[in-house]
Amino acid sequence: MPHLTIEYSANLDGKIDMAGLCRALHAAILASGLFEMGAIRVRAVRCAAYAVADLLAENAFADLWLRIGAGRSAADKARAGEMIFAAATAHFAPLFKTPYFALTLNLSELDPALSWKKNAIHPRLRAK
Amino acid sequence: MPHLTIEYSANLDGKIDMAGLCRALHAAILASGLFEMGAIRVRAVRCAAYAVADLLAENAFADLWLRIGAGRSAADKARAGEMIFAAATAHFAPLFKTPYFALTLNLSELDPALSWKKNAIHPRLRAK
Amino acid sequence: MPHLTIEYSANLDGKIDMAGLCRALHAAILASGLFEMGAIRVRAVRCAAYAVADLLAENAFADLWLRIGAGRSAADKARAGEMIFAAATAHFAPLFKTPYFALTLNLSELDPALSWKKNAIHPRLRAK
């Protein structure tokens, strides 16, 4: 953790650089100061079929779901969410000039008693 | 919100019209009377690799996950879930004539303190 | 239920047999003794865009999310999670020899009051 999954409508193809968005959100997660770099995993899931709002072909969405380990303060969670959402909003700025786009972010905490992990990247980065 | 994500096994290709399913579920969400049209985002995620039940090649599934804002009554949530599940069941009727298909729906509420959103579609629709 | 979704970075293509992983996790779920075979649905979602850890091209991840019905004991949930995670770790063993891979599993319980299901596979298997 943190994990961030972006689900998006396939009509964003050619309009939004999704790999670039993943990197921008990765940078925002890191800038929050709450997370270790080796733990960050941002990814995007393209949805070929969808039905958005009033069903116009132009209607598009991106929905971000951030999962973090439990234990941060409410203030820290709010600040991290705001930073990540601001980075997403900036990346989608051209689409917000149209009346056809909607963006969401939700944050969940994961129960450490129901989490398992094994990370071969951490030792490499911590050794630096 | 509401968000509805359909995960499904890729062996439904050519058997189920997924864009049509998205529209049918969109209609059911709207018909519940609990949600604003501009907020509805239904989408499908195709899973190319899967392992279902007794692993027969015919075995297929669709799993629907609905996320809504907190605050509706238990009765309203139950009614919305039943309407959406009924629409899904109707769309998959041909598969329920076989012994190879399973359908699920789960509903989660999202914490408003951990949600961020920006919607450029709402102003267009609310102006109507 | 149980449902198990694997999200993974697309750079695992050609390195990991995802259908084989689905079957290995299916076997681990069954071996836990907590679940009926007809209810098991394991699947993988390939993520073409991602940003992992220090952004090296080699960095890869798999993130497993298991959802089960409510009501099992904490000990049963811990045991099932450990068995499934052990099966995943074994499948990814070649990648754990590199410093570029991270694996996670999280378990959630689903609220029966907010779950709907219809399963045409159960009657076939229960009749055996």
Side-chain angles (χ1 to χ4, degrees):
Chain A
M1 296 162 281
H3 286 280
L4 178 56
T5 301
I6 306 154
E7 289 189 0
Y8 68 95
S9 53
N11 59 352
L12 292 179
D13 286 352
K15 293 182 180 171
I16 293 294
D17 170 11
M18 278 295 154
L21 176 62
C22 289
R23 288 191 298 270
L25 297 176
H26 175 285
I29 291 170
L30 200 58
S32 75
L34 296 177
F35 306 105
E36 193 174 4
M37 185 192 277
I40 303 175
R41 276 150 286 188
V42 181
R43 65 271 198 173
V45 175
R46 181 182 182 273
C47 301
Y50 47 88
V52 177
D54 57 341
L55 302 176
L56 293 185
E58 298 93 328
N59 288 351
F61 77 90
D63 176 40
L64 283 53
W65 185 30
L66 177 65
R67 284 141 287 163
I68 67 173
R72 273 87 178 183
S73 70
D76 275 349
K77 287 184 282 191
R79 188 170 53 82
E82 283 158 19
M83 290 178 72
I84 293 164
F85 194 69
T89 302
H91 199 84
F92 285 110
L95 288 168
F96 280 118
K97 292 178 183 162
T98 77
Y100 306 116
F101 182 68
L103 176 68
T104 40
L105 165 66
N106 288 283
L107 190 162
S108 298
E109 286 184 299
L110 298 175
D111 181 346
L114 298 175
S115 292
W116 294 261
K117 48 190 169 180
K118 183 173 170 71
N119 188 323
I121 300 174
H122 275 322
R124 177 169 59 80
L125 295 182
R126 289 172 180 165
K128 284 188 180 174
Chain B
M1 298 160 276
H3 286 280
L4 178 56
T5 301
I6 306 154
E7 289 189 359
Y8 68 96
S9 53
N11 59 352
L12 293 179
D13 287 351
K15 295 182 180 171
I16 293 294
D17 170 11
M18 279 294 155
L21 176 61
C22 290
R23 287 190 300 269
L25 297 176
H26 176 285
I29 291 170
L30 201 57
S32 75
L34 295 177
F35 306 105
E36 193 173 6
M37 184 191 279
I40 302 174
R41 276 149 286 188
V42 180
R43 65 272 198 174
V45 175
R46 181 182 183 273
C47 300
Y50 48 88
V52 176
D54 58 339
L55 302 176
L56 292 186
E58 298 93 329
N59 288 352
F61 76 92
D63 176 40
L64 283 53
W65 185 31
L66 176 66
R67 284 140 286 163
I68 66 173
R72 272 89 179 181
S73 71
D76 275 349
K77 287 183 283 191
R79 189 171 52 83
E82 284 158 18
M83 291 178 70
I84 294 165
F85 194 69
T89 301
H91 198 85
F92 285 109
L95 288 168
F96 280 118
K97 292 177 185 163
T98 77
Y100 306 116
F101 182 67
L103 176 68
T104 39
L105 166 66
N106 287 284
L107 190 162
S108 298
E109 287 184 299
L110 298 174
D111 181 346
L114 298 175
S115 293
W116 293 261
K117 47 190 169 180
K118 183 175 171 70
N119 188 323
I121 299 173
H122 274 322
R124 176 168 60 79
L125 295 183
R126 289 172 181 166
K128 283 188 180 173
Chain C
M1 297 163 278
H3 286 280
L4 178 57
T5 301
I6 306 154
E7 290 189 0
Y8 68 96
S9 53
N11 59 353
L12 293 179
D13 287 352
K15 294 182 181 172
I16 293 293
D17 170 10
M18 279 293 155
L21 176 62
C22 290
R23 287 189 300 269
L25 297 176
H26 175 285
I29 290 170
L30 200 57
S32 75
L34 296 177
F35 306 105
E36 193 174 6
M37 186 192 276
I40 302 175
R41 277 150 285 188
V42 181
R43 66 271 199 174
V45 175
R46 182 181 182 272
C47 301
Y50 48 88
V52 176
D54 58 339
L55 302 177
L56 292 185
E58 298 93 329
N59 288 351
F61 77 91
D63 176 39
L64 283 54
W65 185 31
L66 176 66
R67 284 140 286 163
I68 67 173
R72 272 88 178 179
S73 71
D76 275 348
K77 287 184 283 189
R79 190 171 51 83
E82 282 157 21
M83 290 178 71
I84 294 164
F85 194 69
T89 302
H91 199 85
F92 286 109
L95 288 168
F96 281 118
K97 292 177 183 161
T98 76
Y100 306 116
F101 182 67
L103 176 68
T104 40
L105 165 66
N106 287 284
L107 189 163
S108 298
E109 287 184 298
L110 298 175
D111 181 347
L114 298 175
S115 293
W116 292 263
K117 48 191 169 181
K118 183 174 170 71
N119 188 324
I121 300 172
H122 275 321
R124 177 168 60 80
L125 295 183
R126 289 172 181 166
K128 282 188 183 175

